[in-house]
C-alpha cells in the first residue's frame, strides 16, 4: 500500500487543521511517500524562512502533507523543526515513520570542495539534491542563501490541477486534539541557521522592471507546477535553438542554493539525463552510469567513460588497438585509412562555420558590385578548398551552412569563371586591375586552418586572372580588435569567418545585418536587411524559408562578401558500436549507442580535453558541453546527429505571434538523479542564477556565464 497524502489540498485549505484530529481532515490528491513529503516540507519551509510565505500560509500548506501509513495511522511534520509526529488514536507523539527499504532517507552529504567526489554504485545519488540536504530535522542547519535582488512571487503550486476529492476515511478515528505545530518540550531543537544566512527558496518568477537594462529577457515565470513562460524585450526567432544548448541545462533549485560556486556543483551535478555521475576523482577519468529512472528511452550501454588526450594521432592509436570505442577529431590525413579499415567506422561532422573574404574600402568605387563580383568569380574556391583545407571541408554555396534550417535557401553562388570576372572588372572601369591590401590574422581557426597559405593563394589568383596586385598583411590584433577594424571598413580586403553559436540563420546573418550588427551592412544593403529583419520576428518555417530565399539571393547579387568554405571534422568508432554518429554541434548522444553482443557493457570515449567542469552554465568548450549533455538536459534538445530542435524536458512549447513570449509545458514524469521531481521552480531558478548578476548564486567556475551574455546581451543588476 502506498501511503496517502494530500498535496493538492495543501495549497488551498486553511490553518484550522491545527485544531482538528486527522479524521476531520479532508484528504485527496496524488500519492506520496514519506521522503516525498519531506521534500515538499523542505521547499515550503525554505519559502517561509525567505519571507515568500506567511506563517499562516505555511501552516495551511502543511495541511495536505498529513500522510496515512499502511496501519491506518496518521503522520504530520511539525512546522518549526521538521519532526515527524504520529497520531496514536489519542494524541500526537514524536516518532520515526515506517519506511520501505527503498525509501529510507539518505543522510545529507557534506560539501567538501577540496576533496574529489566519487560516487559509489551502491549510492547512485550519493551527492543528494538540495531537497534531501534540507530533509527534516536538519533543514534549518543547512547554510543556504537568500535569492536576493530577484523579483520573487510565489505562485499557487497546483493551479492547473483538478479540485481534490475526498479520500477514504482514516481506519482509526482519533479524538480532536491540536496538531503539535511546536515540538514537545523534550524534543531537541534543530540548529539555527548561521549568522547572516537564510534558507534558500526556489524562485517562481524573476523579472526586470523594464528593458532599459539592455538585455533581451524581460521576465521568466512559473505559471503553475509544469508551465514556464519567458517574456522577451523584443522578438527572437532563434530562441528555441539557443536554449537547447548545454549552458541552459536545468538543475534542482535547492541543490543550486546549497552548492553554488563549490566543487560539489562543478564536479557532482544532479541532472535528469540518461546518464548520471558515477565517479570523477581529481586527475582521473570521468565515469558515468545509466540512469535507471530516465524519463525517455533508457541508455543502451550501462557505463560510459570519458578519457582525454590532446594528440589526435595517439587518440587514433587507442581506437585501432581497441582500448577505446570512440574518438573525437581523428587527424584529417587519416580519414581514408579509417574508412578502409573494416574494424572501424568513420562519421563526418558537418562544419557549422563560414570562412569568407570581406570587403572594406577596396578602392574608391568599392560600392560598385561589379568589382566585388569580379573578385568572387576569380577565386577558384573548389581548388582552394581541395588543396588548403582538410577533407572534411566543403565549398560554401551560401553564407550559412546548409545544415542550418533555411541556410541554403535561394540560388547557390556561381562557380569559378575568370572570363566573366575580367569582363565585369573592365565594365567597372578597371581593365588593367589595381593595387590593394588583404589583411588576415595569422592564427589558425576552424574556418581558416592555414591563414598565410590561403591568403597567398587568393592573392595569386587575383593577380593571375584580374591583374589585381595584392599586398598581404598579417594583422597583429586579437579577434575582437580584428573584427572591429574589418567590420569598420579599415581593411580593403580581409579574411575572416564565423563559428555558429546556435543553429539558426539568425546567428550567421544578424551579426552582419541587424540593428545590433554593423551599420555598414545595414545602410549599404537595405533590401537584404529588410528581409532578414522580418525573418527574425517570424515563427512560421514556411514564411522564414521564403524570406531567407529572398535575402540569400540579394546577398549573392550584391556580394558584400565572398563565402569560401565550411570546415567540418569527424568522429571515429569501433565497428562494434551500434548507433554511432557525429553531431554537428559536438553533442554526440551516447545513450542511443549500443554494443554488439560480446563487446561488453562499457563504452570508452576519448576526446582532446578534460571537461572544465560539469556545470555548463558557466562553460564554453565543446568537450565540456559534450560531457554535460549526458547528465543534464535543457527544456529543448536536438535530434540525434542533427541541428533540428526537439522537445526535451518540455514536451511542447509555443511562442506568441511576435516571438516575444515563449511558453513551455514540462513533462510531469521527470525525476532528477536523486529521485526528486522536476517542476517549474527548477527551471526558473536555473535561469535566474545566470541572469541576475547580484544573485548570490550567480557563481560557477569563472562567474562569466559567457553564453548567457552572448545570447541575451546583458545581466540583470549588472554594475
Amino acid at each position: 500500500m502506498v501511503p496517502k497524502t494530500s498535496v493538492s489540498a495543501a495549497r488551498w485549505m486553511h490553518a484550522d487543521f491545527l485544531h482538528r484530529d486527522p479524521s476531520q481532515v479532508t484528504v485527496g490528491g496524488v500519492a506520496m511517500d514519506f521522503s516525498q513529503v519531506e521534500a515538499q516540507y523542505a521547499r515550503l519551509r525554505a519559502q517561509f524562512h525567505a519571507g515568500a510565505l506567511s506563517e499562516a500560509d505555511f501552516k495551511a500548506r502543511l495541511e495536505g502533507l498529513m500522510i496515512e501509513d499502511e496501519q491506518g495511522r496518521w503522520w504530520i511534520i511539525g512546522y518549526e523543526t521538521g519532526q515527524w509526529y504520529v497520531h496514536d488514536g489519542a494524541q500526537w507523539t514524536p516518532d520515526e515513520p515506517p519506511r520501505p527499504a527503498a525509501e529510507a532517507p539518505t543522510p545529507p552529504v557534506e560539501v567538501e570542495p577540496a576533496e574529489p567526489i566519487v560516487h559509489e554504485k551502491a549510492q547512485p545519488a550519493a551527492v543528494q539534491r538540495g531537497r534531501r540536504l534540507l530533509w527534516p530535522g536538519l533543514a534549518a542547519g543547512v547554510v543556504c542563501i537568500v535569492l536576493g535582488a530577484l523579483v520573487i512571487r510565489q505562485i499557487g503550486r497546483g493551479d492547473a490541477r483538478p479540485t481534490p476529492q475526498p479520500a477514504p476515511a482514516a481506519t482509526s478515528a482519533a479524538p480532536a486534539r491540536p496538531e503539535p505545530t511546536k515540538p514537545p518540550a523534550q524534543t531537541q531543537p534543530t540548529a539555527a541557521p548561521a549568522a547572516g544566512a537564510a534558507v534558500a527558496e526556489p524562485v517562481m518568477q524573476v523579472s526586470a522592471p523594464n528593458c532599459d537594462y539592455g538585455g533581451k529577457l524581460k521576465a521568466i515565470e512559473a505559471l503553475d507546477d509544469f508551465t514556464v513562460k519567458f517574456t522577451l524585450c523584443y522578438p527572437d526567432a532563434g530562441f528555441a535553438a539557443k536554449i537547447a544548448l548545454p549552458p541552459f541545462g536545468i538543475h534542482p533549485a535547492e541543490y543550486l542554493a546549497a552548492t553554488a560556486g563549490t566543487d560539489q556543483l562543478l564536479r557532482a551535478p544532479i541532472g535528469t539525463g540518461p546518464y548520471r555521475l558515477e565517479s570523477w576523482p581529481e586527475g582521473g577519468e570521468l565515469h558515468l552510469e545509466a540512469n535507471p529512472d530516465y524519463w525517455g528511452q533508457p541508455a543502451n550501454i550501462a557505463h560510459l567513460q570519458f578519457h582525454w588526450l590532446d594528440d589526435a594521432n595517439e587518440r587514433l592509436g587507442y581506437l585501432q588497438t581497441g582500448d577505446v570505442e570512440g574518438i573525437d577529431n581523428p587527424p584529417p590525413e587519416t580519414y581514408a585509412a579509417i574508412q578502409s579499415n573494416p574494424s572501424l567506422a568513420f562519421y563526418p561532422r558537418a562544419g557549422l562555420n563560414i570562412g569568407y573574404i570581406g570587403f572594406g574600402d577596396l578602392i574608391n568605387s568599392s560600392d560598385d558590385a561589379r568589382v566585388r563580383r569580379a573578385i568572387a568569380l576569380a577565386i577558384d574556391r573548389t581548388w582552394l578548398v581541395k588543396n588548403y583545407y582538410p577533407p572534411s571541408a566543403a565549398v560554401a554555396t551560401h553564407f550559412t551552412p546548409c545544415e542550418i534550417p533555411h541556410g541554403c535557401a535561394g540560388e547557390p553562388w556561381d562557380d569559378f569563371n575568370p572570363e566573366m570576372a575580367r569582363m565585369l572588372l573592365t565594365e567597372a572601369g578597371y581593365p588593367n586591375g589595381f593595387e590593394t591590401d588583404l589583411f588576415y590574422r595569422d592564427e589558425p581557426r576552424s574556418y581558416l586552418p592555414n591563414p598565410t597559405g590561403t591568403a597567398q593563394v587568393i592573392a595569386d589568383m587575383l593577380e593571375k586572372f584580374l591583374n589585381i596586385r595584392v599586398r598581404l598583411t598579417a594583422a597583429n590584433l586579437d579577434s575582437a580588435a580584428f573584427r572591429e577594424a574589418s567590420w569598420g571598413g579599415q581593411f580593403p580586403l580581409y579574411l575572416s569567418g564565423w563559428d555558429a553559436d546556435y543553429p539558426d540563420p539568425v546567428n550567421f546573418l544578424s551579426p552582419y545585418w541587424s540593428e545590433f550588427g554593423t551599420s555598414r551592412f545595414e545602410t549599404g544593403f537595405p533590401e537584404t536587411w529588410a528581409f532578414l529583419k522580418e525573418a527574425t520576428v517570424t515563427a512560421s518555417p514556411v514564411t522564414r524559408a521564403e524570406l531567407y530565399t529572398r535575402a540569400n539571393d540579394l546577398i549573392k547579387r550584391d556580394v558584400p562578401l565572398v563565402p569560401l568554405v565550411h570546415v567540418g571534422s569527424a568522429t571515429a568508432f569501433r565497428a562494434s558500436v551500434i548507433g554511432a554518429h557525429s553531431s554537428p554541434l559536438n553533442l554526440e548522444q551516447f545513450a542511443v549507442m549500443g554494443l554488439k553482443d560480446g563487446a561488453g557493457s562499457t563504452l570508452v570515449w576519448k576526446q582532446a580535453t578534460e571537461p572544465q567542469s560539469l556545470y555548463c552554465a558557466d562553460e564554453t568548450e565543446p568537450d565540456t558541453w559534450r560531457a554535460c549533455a549526458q547528465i543534464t538536459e535543457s527544456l529543448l534538445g536536438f535530434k540525434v546527429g542533427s541541428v533540428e530542435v526537439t522537445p526535451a524536458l518540455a514536451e511542447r512549447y509555443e511562442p506568441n505571434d511576435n516571438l516575444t513570449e515563449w511558453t513551455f509545458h514540462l513533462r510531469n514524469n521527470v525525476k532528477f538523479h536523486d529521485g526528486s521531481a522536476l517542476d517549474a521552480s527548477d527551471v526558473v531558478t536555473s535561469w535566474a542564477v545566470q541572469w541576475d548578476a547580484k544573485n548570490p548564486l550567480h557563481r560557477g567556475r569563472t562567474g562569466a556565464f559567457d553564453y548567457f551574455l552572448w545570447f541575451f546581451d546583458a545581466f540583470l543588476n549588472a554594475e
Side-chain angles (χ1 to χ4, degrees):
M1 171 181 169
V2 177
K4 294 177 293 186
T5 187
S6 172
V7 176
S8 297
R11 297 178 176 121
W12 307 114
M13 294 182 180
H14 299 291
D16 61 356
F17 85 101
L18 302 179
H19 303 288
R20 301 182 186 180
D21 80 24
S23 65
Q24 295 174 315
V25 178
T26 301
V27 296
V30 299
M32 298 181 73
D33 60 32
F34 288 103
S35 294
Q36 290 170 321
V37 170
E38 289 166 351
Q40 289 290 338
Y41 165 80
R43 171 168 294 191
L44 293 172
R45 180 182 173 83
Q47 294 169 355
F48 169 55
H49 278 268
L53 282 180
S54 67
E55 182 174 351
D57 286 340
F58 180 30
K59 294 175 181 178
R61 300 291 177 97
L62 292 183
E63 175 178 2
L65 296 184
M66 292 179 65
I67 186 169
E68 184 184 16
D69 66 17
E70 294 183 358
Q71 302 175 34
R73 298 179 303 169
W74 287 93
W75 296 78
I76 190 70
I77 298 179
Y79 89 94
E80 282 196 341
T81 64
Q83 169 73 50
W84 277 107
Y85 292 84
V86 64
H87 200 283
D88 61 7
Q91 62 182 350
W92 292 101
T93 58
D95 201 351
E96 279 299 311
R99 305 172 188 264
E103 197 206 324
T106 305
V109 175
E110 295 181 2
V111 179
E112 299 181 2
E115 295 296 326
I117 297 166
V118 180
H119 288 190
E120 299 296 336
K121 294 181 182 178
Q123 292 179 313
V127 180
Q128 289 297 311
R129 180 179 181 177
R131 293 182 181 128
R132 301 287 176 83
L133 287 168
L134 299 176
W135 67 288
L138 292 176
V142 176
V143 179
C144 297
I145 305 165
V146 177
L147 295 177
L150 298 177
V151 181
I152 299 172
R153 176 167 60 92
Q154 172 64 33
I155 295 177
R157 305 278 297 164
D159 301 0
R161 297 183 180 179
T163 302
Q165 298 299 316
T171 58
S172 59
R177 288 182 63 91
E179 189 274 337
T181 58
K182 294 185 178 181
Q186 68 271 20
T187 303
Q188 184 175 351
T190 56
V199 179
E201 74 165 299
V203 181
M204 301 303 291
Q205 174 173 310
V206 56
S207 62
N210 52 54
C211 291
D212 293 343
Y213 78 102
K216 293 181 180 179
L217 287 180
K218 179 66 169 61
I220 309 169
E221 57 186 318
L223 303 183
D224 58 42
D225 281 4
F226 298 104
T227 310
V228 180
K229 184 174 78 171
F230 293 75
T231 302
L232 309 182
C233 289
Y234 52 86
D236 186 355
F239 186 71
K242 292 176 180 177
I243 71 168
L245 292 169
F248 305 102
I250 305 304
H251 301 262
E254 292 85 357
Y255 192 68
L256 286 172
T259 63
T262 71
D263 278 359
Q264 192 89 347
L265 177 62
L266 303 183
R267 298 186 65 85
I270 291 176
T272 59
Y275 283 98
R276 63 189 182 190
L277 185 64
E278 186 174 14
S279 66
W280 188 22
E282 291 285 351
E285 298 146 350
L286 173 62
H287 290 200
L288 308 179
E289 62 183 358
N291 173 13
D293 298 320
Y294 186 55
W295 59 266
Q297 180 66 37
N300 294 316
I301 300 175
H303 300 278
L304 171 63
Q305 297 182 9
F306 278 72
H307 299 189
W308 37 87
L309 184 63
D310 60 0
D311 188 289
N313 283 292
E314 290 188 34
R315 288 200 302 273
L316 178 58
Y318 277 91
L319 182 69
Q320 291 170 328
T321 59
D323 292 311
V324 303
E325 279 68 43
I327 64 170
D328 191 33
N329 285 328
E333 63 272 16
T334 68
Y335 286 1
I338 294 172
Q339 290 172 295
S340 64
N341 187 334
S343 66
L344 304 180
F346 177 80
Y347 298 91
R349 178 187 286 137
L352 299 188
N353 52 40
I354 179 67
Y356 64 87
I357 302 173
F359 296 100
D361 293 329
L362 181 63
I363 49 177
N364 292 335
S365 56
S366 60
D367 287 336
D368 193 328
R370 292 174 296 183
V371 175
R372 299 192 299 272
R373 190 176 177 213
I375 290 174
L377 291 170
I379 305 298
D380 189 343
R381 298 180 300 151
T382 300
W383 188 93
L384 175 65
V385 170
K386 181 179 180 181
N387 289 277
Y388 281 83
Y389 287 85
S392 56
V395 175
T397 61
H398 298 74
F399 188 75
T400 304
C402 293
E403 288 73 21
I404 303 291
H406 320 303
C408 289
E411 292 294 321
W413 279 62
D414 294 325
D415 294 330
F416 172 59
N417 191 334
E419 293 78 14
M420 177 65 72
R422 283 191 290 269
M423 183 183 73
L424 288 170
L425 197 63
T426 299
E427 288 179 359
Y430 301 95
N432 299 317
F434 52 84
E435 293 185 354
T436 191
D437 296 274
L438 186 150
F439 288 76
Y440 62 95
R441 291 183 68 227
D442 193 15
E443 179 179 329
R445 309 286 285 185
S446 63
Y447 46 76
L448 191 59
N450 184 355
T452 299
T454 301
Q456 186 61 62
V457 169
I458 289 172
D460 291 345
M461 289 181 177
L462 291 179
E463 183 169 10
K464 177 179 180 180
F465 298 118
L466 295 178
N467 198 30
I468 295 177
R469 284 83 63 195
V470 179
R471 295 177 293 268
L472 299 179
T473 301
N476 186 24
L477 299 171
D478 63 28
S479 59
F482 186 86
R483 180 169 296 160
E484 182 178 356
S486 58
W487 286 11
Q490 297 180 31
F491 303 148
L493 287 173
Y494 61 93
L495 285 177
S496 190
W498 186 267
D499 281 305
D501 294 315
Y502 58 96
D504 191 275
V506 173
N507 184 230
F508 278 83
L509 299 172
S510 286
Y512 298 87
W513 290 270
S514 77
E515 292 114 322
F516 309 98
T518 105
S519 58
R520 181 175 185 273
F521 277 22
E522 289 175 36
T523 57
F525 308 98
E527 290 180 87
T528 304
W529 178 50
F531 286 121
L532 292 175
K533 184 178 180 181
E534 186 176 352
T536 64
V537 298
T538 300
S540 166
V542 174
T543 304
R544 292 191 86 200
E546 295 172 351
L547 292 168
Y548 282 119
T549 296
R550 302 284 295 276
N552 282 335
D553 286 346
L554 288 172
I555 293 171
K556 176 188 173 185
R557 184 196 72 182
D558 296 333
V559 199
L561 39 71
V562 181
L564 296 176
V565 63
H566 307 299
V567 183
S569 56
T571 63
F573 288 83
R574 300 291 299 177
S576 58
V577 180
I578 303 168
H581 59 274
S582 66
S583 163
L585 298 164
N586 298 284
L587 298 176
E588 284 70 33
Q589 299 179 37
F590 298 102
V592 305
M593 300 183 192
L595 295 173
K596 294 181 179 178
D597 292 343
S601 61
T602 300
L603 188 149
V604 180
W605 166 261
K606 192 175 283 289
Q607 57 190 31
T609 61
E610 179 178 8
Q612 294 176 311
S613 86
L614 293 176
Y615 181 50
C616 272
D618 196 25
E619 301 295 350
T620 62
E621 294 301 317
D623 282 351
T624 299
W625 281 17
R626 182 186 292 112
C628 287
Q630 316 307 315
I631 302 170
T632 55
E633 298 175 296
S634 305
L635 291 172
L636 304 176
F638 297 99
K639 186 177 179 181
V640 175
S642 170
V643 298
E644 179 183 342
V645 175
T646 60
L649 295 182
E651 61 184 355
R652 58 188 174 88
Y653 69 99
E654 60 270 348
N656 64 354
D657 290 342
N658 66 357
L659 302 181
T660 57
E661 293 181 358
W662 295 72
T663 303
F664 295 84
H665 305 274
L666 305 183
R667 301 179 190 275
N668 61 9
N669 64 333
V670 178
K671 292 183 179 180
F672 287 99
H673 294 157
D674 67 346
S676 53
L678 167 78
D679 64 29
S681 71
D682 299 309
V683 177
V684 179
T685 303
S686 295
W687 277 78
V689 300
Q690 291 199 58
W691 184 15
D692 189 353
K694 288 187 177 179
N695 190 316
L697 306 184
H698 185 76
R699 292 181 291 161
R701 188 177 62 85
T702 69
F705 296 97
D706 287 319
Y707 266 83
F708 185 95
L709 193 61
W710 293 338
F711 285 179
F712 302 108
D713 291 349
F715 295 127
L716 192 63
N717 297 317
E719 295 180 355

